[in-house]
Amino acid sequence: MTVGLPAGAEGLAETPDSHGGYPRLGDEQIATLSAHGERRHAPPGEVLFHEGDERYDFYVVLEGRVAILQGGHQIDAETLIAVHGPRRFLGELSLLTGQAAFFSAVTLEPSELLVVPVERLRRLVTQDTALGDLILRAYLIRRELLIGLGVGFRIVGSHFSPDARRLREFAARNRLPHRWIDVEDDPAAEALLRSLGIAPEDTPIVIWGRDVLRNPSNAELARRIGLKVSEVPAGTIDLLVVGAGPSGLAAGVYGASEGLETVVLDAVATGGQAGTSSKIENYLGFPSGISGAELAERATIQAEKFGASISVPAEAVSLRREDSHYAVGLDDGQELTARTVVVATGVRYRKLPIGGLEPYEGTSIFYAATLMEAQVCRNDPVVVVGGGNSAAQATVFLSRYAAQVHLVLREDELGESMSRYLADRIEQLPNVGVLPHSEVREVTGNGSLEAIEVEDIRTGERRTLPARALFVFIGAEPHTGWLGHDVALDESGYVLTGHEAAGAAAENGHWEGIERPTLLLETSLPGVLAVGDVRRGSIKRVASAVGEGSMAVRLVHEHLQTQPHAEPVAAQT
Ligand SMILES: Cc1cc2nc3c(=O)[nH]c(=O)nc-3n(C[C@H](O)[C@H](O)[C@H](O)COP(=O)(O)OP(=O)(O)OC[C@H]3O[C@@H](n4cnc5c(N)ncnc54)[C@H](O)[C@@H]3O)c2cc1C
C-alpha cells in the first residue's frame, strides 16, 4: 500500500541514536542478514507495516529513509516517532516475541530495503550472538521509549472503573506500550468517544488501529496483541510450570533446554514481582543493574528459544493427581495434563489495613514502581510505604521523577530492614524525606489522590502529606489457594518441601510404588515441586528463585526416572 506524503516529509531529518536504541549495522552484519533475506526497492509513501499488524518482517534500510509513526500512516508532528536512514533496522521487541506491531513504518523517499522474514530473524538472533545481542538490546530500549511516549493501543475509560483499572494493570504488567485516556478529566476523550459513537458509560474500550474492543477480558486483549493465551497441548506433557516469575522462567529455560516438553503459564505477565522492579542491582553478572522488565523479556525469549511454550494470561485454579500424572485446571475451563508440575506462583503484595483505598487502586495507589507509574506522578509529591529493599528501590527510582518523595516506615531507622547501600543512597537524595516509626492512617482526594495522613506510632502525632500517588511495599502472601488439600502448606500458606513435606507425604496416599524419600524441592505430592518465593524458607531474591527453578528440573528428571513404568525423556546435558 502506498500513501501520499505531506509537504515537507522529504525534509525530515534522521532521528539521532538514543542509548543504543537506533544503532547502525556494519558491512559484516548486513552481509549476514543478506544471506537470510532479499533486497528490494520501495517508492516514497510505501507502508511497510501498519500499527496493529499481527505479523511484520524485519527491515534494514540500505538507501533512503523510513518514518516510524503512531496511530496509522498519517505523518505529522503528533504522529512521528522516529526517522531511520541507511544501515538502521526497523521493528521493536514485538518482532521477537510475536506480538503485533505497535507502530507503522512508511518510506519517505525512494528506498532500498533488505527484508528478512520474521521467522528467519528469530532463528538468526538466537544463533549469531553478536548480531542477536545488538538487535535485542536495541529492541529493549525501543520498547522502553515507546512505553515512555505512550505509543500503542489506547485504553479509554474512567479511573473509577474497576475494568479500566484491570486493563491498565494488565497492559502495564505485560510491558505493552499503550496510552490511558481518562474520560473523567481528559478533554479529548469526549470527542473521541463521540466520533466512535460510544457513550461514556459503555467504556472502558481499547482502540487499536481500526479495531475497537468493548470492555475486553484480559485474554481477549492479549489475543489481539499476539500474546499466547492458554495454549493447551494435546496429550500429557513432561513438565508444567505454573508461574512465570524468575523461578518459573528458569524452570522453563532448563526444562525445555534439557529436552522436556515444557509449558509455562502465568495468570498475569512474565517476570513476576521482579518484572515490576525498576532496577535489580544485586543479580550476578549485571554490575550496573538490570531492570526487571529487561530480565523478564530476555528470559522469556530464552525459554521460547529452547522450545518452551509460554501462555499468558492463563491462571491455574486447581491441581489433581490422576494415576501417575497431574491435571491442572485453568480459569477458562481448560485442563492440562503433565507428568510433573513446578509450582512457581510466588506471592501477592499486602494491602494497607485501612479503609478508603478502593477508589484510588491502580490510579494513585500502586504496588510497583516502574516507568508506567512514574509517568503518573511526574513532578508531583508521592508517598512510599515500607522499610525493606523494595520500598527503598522504589524511593530511589521515584526520586528521579517526583517533586518530593516521603518514605514512611515502621522501623526506627532507615537501615534496619533494608540493605545499607540503599539506605545510604536515600540519605543523600535531596528530594526524599524519611518518616521513621510511622504508619499511614488515611488517604484523601477527589477523584485522584491528594493527601495521606500519617501517624507517628511513638507519639501519636499526625501529619498530612500532599501526595499524588501512594506506593505500598509492606510484604506479601503466597499464591497457594489453587493447590488443593494434598499439597502441604505451613500456617502462613507457604508450600512445604523436602524433609518438611515428608510427614504429610507419608499420609496422603499418593506415594504408592515410589520407593524414595521426598526430593529437595518436592512437595507432599510426588513429582510436584515448589520453587522461589512460594516455598517455605525461600530466600526471596531473584538469584535464589532462578537457582531453585533451575535445580527443580534436575529433580524432575530424578522423579521421572523413579516412576513406575517410566518412559525415557531426552538425556540431560
Ligand atoms: C518491587 C520489587 C523489587 C525487588 N527487587 C529485588 C532485587 O533488587 N533483588 C532481588 O534479588 N530480589 C528483588 N525482589 C524480590 C524478587 O523479585 C522475588 O524474590 C522474585 O521475583 C521471586 O520470584 P518467583 O518466581 O518465586 O515469584 P514471583 O516473582 O512472585 O512470580 C510468581 C508468578 O506467578 C504468577 N501466578 C501466581 N498465581 C498463579 C496461578 N494460580 N496461575 C498462574 N500464574 C500464577 C504470578 O502472576 C507471578 O507472575 C523484588 C521484589 C519486588 C516486588
Side-chain angles (χ1 to χ4, degrees):
M1 173 186 175
T2 308
V3 292
L5 297 176
E10 65 281 2
L12 287 170
E14 194 182 44
T15 315
D17 189 14
S18 166
H19 309 290
Y22 301 142
R24 267 184 228 288
L25 296 172
D27 288 342
E28 212 176 299
Q29 290 159 328
I30 290 180
T32 306
L33 286 160
S34 298
H36 295 269
E38 275 180 11
R39 287 170 185 243
R40 75 167 174 87
H41 291 278
E46 180 173 326
V47 181
L48 302 177
F49 53 86
H50 199 280
E51 179 184 294
D53 281 356
E54 283 171 25
R55 197 207 120 96
Y56 64 107
D57 287 323
F58 179 78
Y59 289 88
V60 180
V61 183
L62 298 173
E63 291 284 341
R65 275 167 317 129
V66 176
I68 301 300
L69 306 164
Q70 61 172 314
H73 48 251
Q74 190 180 319
I75 305 178
D76 58 41
E78 292 276 291
T79 59
L80 188 68
I81 301 172
V83 175
H84 296 308
R87 295 180 177 272
R88 293 253 188 102
F89 54 89
L90 313 184
E92 65 95 50
L93 205 56
S94 53
L95 200 65
L96 298 180
T97 56
Q99 295 166 5
F102 286 98
F103 47 67
S104 308
V106 178
T107 51
L108 292 175
E109 56 186 64
S111 302
E112 190 187 359
L113 306 163
L114 171 63
V115 192
V116 180
V118 61
E119 295 77 17
R120 299 190 80 166
L121 179 84
R122 284 186 201 143
R123 254 198 322 276
L124 191 61
V125 161
T126 59
Q127 286 163 357
D128 185 321
T129 324
L131 183 61
D133 232 42
L134 179 88
I135 294 172
L136 179 56
R137 192 157 169 269
Y139 280 1
L140 287 163
I141 292 167
R142 291 180 192 184
R143 175 58 64 98
E144 209 172 310
L145 288 171
L146 293 182
I147 290 173
L149 287 169
V151 169
F153 56 89
R154 286 171 285 173
I155 303 175
V156 187
S158 158
H159 62 251
F160 296 115
S161 155
D163 278 322
R165 211 177 296 146
R166 167 182 59 75
L167 288 165
R168 292 181 67 201
E169 192 183 335
F170 182 75
R173 285 285 307 275
N174 281 284
R175 305 167 291 280
L176 300 172
H178 69 285
R179 171 166 294 180
W180 162 237
I181 301 176
D182 194 339
V183 295
E184 304 294 338
D185 54 27
D186 189 331
E190 200 186 324
L192 178 64
L193 288 178
R194 212 176 313 116
S195 72
L196 296 168
I198 292 173
E201 55 275 21
D202 293 332
T203 60
I205 57 167
V206 172
I207 307 172
W208 203 17
R210 284 171 284 266
D211 292 350
V212 178
L213 310 179
R214 292 175 187 238
N215 194 12
S217 66
N218 289 354
E220 281 165 340
L221 176 59
R223 254 182 226 113
R224 180 61 188 87
I225 305 297
L227 299 180
K228 293 178 204 105
V229 184
S230 52
E231 286 186 346
V232 174
T236 302
I237 57 167
D238 297 320
L239 171 61
L240 173 62
V241 182
V242 184
S247 64
L249 286 170
V253 167
Y254 278 79
S257 70
E258 293 182 10
L260 298 174
E261 190 188 354
T262 304
V263 171
V264 184
L265 306 176
D266 200 287
V268 187
T270 59
Q273 297 167 70
T276 68
S277 172
S278 46
K279 201 162 213 185
I280 297 164
E281 297 205 47
N282 51 3
Y283 189 54
L284 189 72
F286 295 89
S288 52
I290 179 165
S291 78
E294 180 167 347
L295 191 66
E297 300 291 8
R298 283 180 177 269
T300 305
I301 291 169
Q302 194 176 13
E304 286 183 330
K305 158 185 143 172
F306 286 119
S309 160
I310 300 182
S311 294
V312 176
E315 182 177 359
V317 293
S318 63
L319 171 73
R320 195 177 71 248
R321 184 163 165 82
E322 269 180 6
D323 303 326
S324 59
H325 60 265
Y326 291 93
V328 172
L330 305 185
D331 57 342
D332 63 3
Q334 299 189 77
E335 207 167 65
L336 245 146
T337 51
R339 300 162 79 192
T340 58
V341 176
V342 168
V343 177
T345 43
V347 297
R348 74 167 64 86
Y349 318 118
R350 264 199 204 111
K351 304 207 163 186
L352 285 170
I354 57 171
L357 301 178
E358 181 60 19
Y360 308 111
E361 293 277 6
T363 53
S364 307
I365 299 182
F366 304 108
Y367 301 87
T370 66
L371 204 54
M372 300 264 186
E373 290 81 16
Q375 306 294 344
V376 174
C377 54
R378 203 180 268 275
N379 302 325
D380 284 324
V382 303
V383 170
V384 177
V385 187
N389 281 352
S390 306
Q393 282 177 1
T395 302
V396 173
F397 173 69
L398 291 166
S399 69
R400 303 212 300 265
Y401 300 89
Q404 170 85 37
V405 183
H406 298 284
L407 175 59
V408 176
L409 57 152
R410 274 193 184 147
E411 286 83 347
D412 289 332
E413 279 177 31
L414 204 53
E416 226 171 282
S417 312
M418 72 179 62
S419 300
R420 193 61 249 170
Y421 80 95
L422 285 168
D424 289 345
R425 203 171 298 171
I426 288 171
E427 276 162 3
Q428 282 157 20
L429 292 170
N431 63 339
V432 175
V434 178
L435 287 86
H437 40 81
S438 298
E439 287 180 0
V440 173
R441 290 286 174 255
E442 202 182 338
V443 297
T444 49
N446 187 7
S448 57
L449 192 65
E450 287 170 3
I452 312 279
E453 192 159 286
V454 173
E455 183 176 316
D456 184 315
I457 48 180
R458 277 194 191 160
T459 62
E461 189 189 332
R462 288 199 176 200
R463 237 183 106 177
T464 302
L465 305 171
R468 167 67 186 85
L470 172 65
F471 293 84
V472 183
F473 299 94
I474 55 167
E477 291 156 6
H479 278 288
T480 46
W482 63 281
L483 283 172
H485 299 299
D486 289 329
V487 174
L489 308 176
D490 74 2
E491 57 293 347
S492 305
Y494 287 90
V495 182
L496 300 180
T497 51
H499 70 271
E500 289 192 323
E507 287 169 14
N508 66 20
H510 292 298
W511 290 72
E512 215 168 291
I514 301 174
E515 302 297 327
R516 58 166 177 78
T518 45
L519 301 167
L520 192 61
L521 299 171
E522 199 169 28
T523 69
S524 50
L525 282 178
V528 176
L529 295 102
V531 294
D533 284 14
V534 77
R535 198 177 65 78
R536 176 187 162 95
S538 69
I539 305 298
K540 314 262 182 307
R541 289 283 183 276
V542 175
S544 53
V546 168
E548 289 186 11
S550 325
M551 277 164 67
V553 172
R554 175 77 186 77
L555 304 173
V556 160
H557 283 291
E558 249 178 76
H559 167 74
L560 290 174
Q561 277 155 14
T562 59
Q563 276 284 85
H565 319 299
E567 289 162 35
V569 290
Q572 304 159 50
T573 48

